[in-house]
Amino acid sequence: MAQNQYGPGVRMGNWNEDVCLEEERMKEFLKKRERGELLIQRNRKLKKHLVRPEEEAAVFQKGHLSLCMSPDEVKSQLHDELEIPCGVSAVQSMVPTGRNTFIILSENRSDEEEGEVLRYGQNFRLGIVAGLESKMLYLTSEHRTLLKSAKKSWLQEVTLTDEVSHMNCWQVVFFDPQLRMEYEGFPVMANEKVVIYHCHTNRALVVHRHLFLRTYFGKEVEVAAHTYLDSHRVEKPKNHWMLVTGNPRDRSTTMLDLKKPPSEDTLAIEKALGIYT
């Protein structure tokens, strides 16, 4: 009677099912590891967050910041002309200079609209005269991609370009969301808090005070396009901006540098009423 003889390479039982299950487990493991969802990865991340130095957690650029043109440090040293697109950043300075002085332009650049006031909900462009050729550059942004995003936050990038398109159209909305419908179409108030939205992507202009960039002029902070909302669906302070006007009596200062008259100084009123603490 012949006997069945099996070599060492023969598989028996539900070996094929076991192999498939093992491959599925490996695929799921690799997916979780790629997304950082493994338990050991989450524990390491939590531990790193808890034991990080207090100095690192406290790094935060305080005070008033102004939107500035920020050319690339290396390219600026190699070329006489500005590289397009040109970067932007925010710097702790309120002194009007060529870097932070923007011009409010209408969407169509028509002569009929020259000199008209900017209104809430109206499309407009922010232009800045730059370079040795005094070329007009426009604040622009577009959807984030794998190849194009902000350097530090990886959010939607904001740059300056010389090309006029719908990508450099913006809108100012009233600071208080509950009153935006009422203020639609009214003139924008200078030197008051507002929120600036990019028309094409509906992302708000934001400054990241904790993300620092090394620029041609030193260490400055990142500017991007992203809307940060609190629990009440209201934009957070990092989305708050002001359209600051210059002081007509002193070109080196702005209207924010002027002291408010006693009638508008709430602090003086509180002192007079004896309610100041």
Side-chain angles (χ1 to χ4, degrees):
M1 181 174 175
Q3 295 181 352
N4 292 331
Q5 293 182 355
Y6 300 97
V10 176
R11 298 179 177 180
M12 300 180 65
N14 298 329
W15 61 270
N16 189 44
E17 183 179 349
D18 294 338
V19 170
C20 291
L21 289 174
E22 188 65 29
E23 289 178 352
E24 289 296 326
R25 292 194 192 100
M26 181 57 69
K27 289 180 181 178
E28 187 66 22
F29 171 81
L30 294 176
K31 286 182 180 179
K32 287 187 176 181
R33 187 180 68 174
E34 197 172 312
R35 295 194 297 257
E37 296 178 353
L38 294 177
L39 181 60
I40 188 172
Q41 290 176 313
R42 294 167 63 183
N43 288 340
R44 286 176 179 173
K45 187 176 181 180
L46 177 62
K47 184 178 180 181
K48 184 178 179 180
H49 176 75
L50 293 176
V51 301
R52 65 176 177 171
E54 184 65 25
E55 293 80 8
E56 179 183 350
V59 174
F60 186 84
Q61 185 66 67
K62 299 180 180 179
H64 289 302
L65 302 177
S66 61
L67 180 67
C68 291
M69 176 181 61
S70 181
D72 184 84
E73 182 178 13
V74 177
K75 294 178 181 178
S76 298
Q77 296 176 353
L78 298 177
H79 304 283
D80 294 333
E81 298 180 357
L82 287 175
E83 187 78 13
I84 303 298
C86 179
V88 294
S89 60
V91 59
Q92 193 178 30
S93 174
M94 296 301 293
V95 178
T97 64
R99 288 187 65 207
N100 63 2
T101 303
F102 287 81
I103 305 170
I104 297 176
L105 304 169
S106 66
E107 181 183 13
N108 300 320
R109 295 294 305 273
S110 62
D111 295 335
E112 296 179 359
E113 296 180 347
E114 186 174 352
E116 293 290 327
V117 298
L118 178 65
R119 299 178 182 277
Y120 290 108
Q122 177 186 4
N123 289 5
F124 73 99
R125 290 187 172 89
L126 276 177
I128 186 171
V129 179
L132 299 177
E133 299 179 355
S134 298
K135 184 185 297 184
M136 180 68 75
L137 302 181
Y138 307 95
L139 192 70
T140 187
S141 185
E142 57 184 281
H143 284 292
R144 179 186 60 175
T145 65
L146 293 175
L147 301 178
K148 191 170 186 180
S149 60
K151 294 180 180 179
K152 293 291 185 177
S153 64
W154 301 101
L155 297 173
Q156 187 171 309
E157 186 180 31
V158 176
T159 58
L160 291 167
T161 181
D162 57 349
E163 180 182 356
V164 177
S165 72
H166 62 284
M167 295 296 185
N168 38 56
C169 287
W170 303 81
Q171 279 188 3
V172 176
V173 298
F174 192 69
F175 175 71
D176 188 346
Q178 296 182 350
L179 298 176
R180 283 179 186 171
M181 293 294 293
E182 288 78 358
Y183 275 87
E184 188 82 15
F186 278 76
V188 175
M189 293 179 287
N191 312 307
E192 297 288 343
K193 288 183 180 180
V194 296
V195 181
I196 303 175
Y197 273 91
H198 186 239
C199 296
H200 180 67
T201 61
N202 198 33
R203 299 288 192 275
L205 194 64
V206 61
V207 56
H208 292 130
R209 293 175 177 266
H210 63 293
L211 298 179
F212 293 90
L213 302 172
R214 181 177 178 180
T215 72
Y216 184 65
F217 299 92
K219 188 169 78 169
E220 299 174 355
V221 297
E222 182 188 80
V223 173
H226 187 78
T227 308
Y228 289 92
L229 301 176
D230 60 18
S231 58
H232 301 286
R233 307 294 297 173
V234 178
E235 293 88 358
K236 292 184 177 181
K238 61 181 68 178
N239 285 126
H240 298 169
W241 293 85
M242 288 185 182
L243 298 178
V244 180
T245 54
N247 182 3
R249 298 182 179 180
D250 185 359
R251 294 184 177 180
S252 63
T253 62
T254 66
M255 295 301 293
L256 290 181
D257 299 317
L258 299 179
K259 292 183 179 180
K260 292 184 178 180
S263 59
E264 299 181 14
D265 192 345
T266 57
L267 183 60
I269 296 175
E270 289 177 356
K271 286 183 178 180
L273 297 176
I275 60 175
Y276 173 71
T277 58

